[in-house]
Amino acid sequence: MSVRDGYIPLKSLDELGNPIVERPIVLPDNRKFLVKMRGLTEAEMRAMRAKVPWPESPTDMVRNPTTKQVERVPLTSGPAYQQYQTATEEANGKLMKHCLLISLQVPVPGATEEEQVTYLENQLGSVALLQLMNHFNSLQMISAEDIEAAKNP
């Protein structure tokens, strides 16, 4: 097997897999941990999105001045739109925590998935939770900086 610039020739997509990796967590008291995590498959992401209730975009009925027809148009400002934005942010947060449960390869307290999400929201320190969410995001996407770093080790 030849290795060129640190890359191994791919023989099968099975080689890519979905590896478990260790990511560092540093707490404010300087305790340091390695947490095992993995990225989610596309199917797992779709399943998580389906579990989270998403808000309906607010609309209003407006008469089109040209056609004189009444049309439904999305609102882009006002109290209803602000409520929609807040609800969307909350849904995104729930999605992240549900995905994090699958990604984490350590037990999360709680008998049900909802209890586990509640634990992440209410019991885990925000410093640790933010680091875990950032690590999850890095497992789900690759940045331009990651690509450049891989090219120039």
Side-chain angles (χ1 to χ4, degrees):
M1 175 182 302
S2 71
V3 176
R4 188 180 59 200
D5 298 327
Y7 291 91
I8 301 168
L10 183 69
K11 294 179 182 172
S12 164
L13 288 178
D14 291 335
E15 293 179 80
L16 298 177
N18 197 4
I20 294 173
V21 297
E22 291 183 331
R23 293 291 186 250
I25 301 293
V26 180
L27 299 182
D29 61 4
N30 282 332
R31 286 183 294 152
K32 299 174 182 179
F33 298 92
L34 287 175
V35 179
K36 290 185 178 187
M37 303 175 76
R38 70 173 180 83
L40 273 60
T41 65
E42 184 62 27
E44 289 170 325
M45 285 298 297
R46 278 195 307 274
M48 289 300 102
R49 284 187 188 107
K51 281 186 177 186
V52 174
W54 294 92
E56 292 267 340
S57 177
T59 60
D60 198 5
M61 300 303 284
V62 176
R63 185 172 304 278
N64 183 315
T66 305
T67 65
K68 306 295 186 217
Q69 298 291 317
V70 175
E71 300 172 353
R72 184 177 302 274
V73 296
L75 294 176
T76 57
S77 63
Y81 182 73
Q82 290 302 320
Q83 289 173 344
Y84 167 72
Q85 291 287 15
T86 299
T88 299
E89 289 171 12
E90 289 172 4
N92 278 323
K94 286 284 187 195
L95 173 63
M96 168 60 86
K97 291 168 192 117
H98 279 277
C99 290
L100 193 54
L101 288 177
I102 295 173
S103 177
L104 286 170
Q105 301 299 295
V106 295
V108 176
T112 66
E113 195 171 309
E114 284 305 317
E115 288 177 4
Q116 291 171 326
V117 167
T118 299
Y119 176 86
L120 292 176
E121 291 174 335
N122 299 327
Q123 299 298 318
L124 196 61
S126 63
V127 169
L129 182 58
L130 181 60
Q131 290 177 74
L132 289 170
M133 291 190 304
N134 286 338
H135 289 316
F136 171 76
N137 281 334
S138 74
L139 291 171
Q140 290 303 114
M141 63 185 103
I142 189 164
S143 68
E145 292 83 17
D146 294 332
I147 293 170
E148 282 305 310
K151 287 181 185 176
N152 305 306

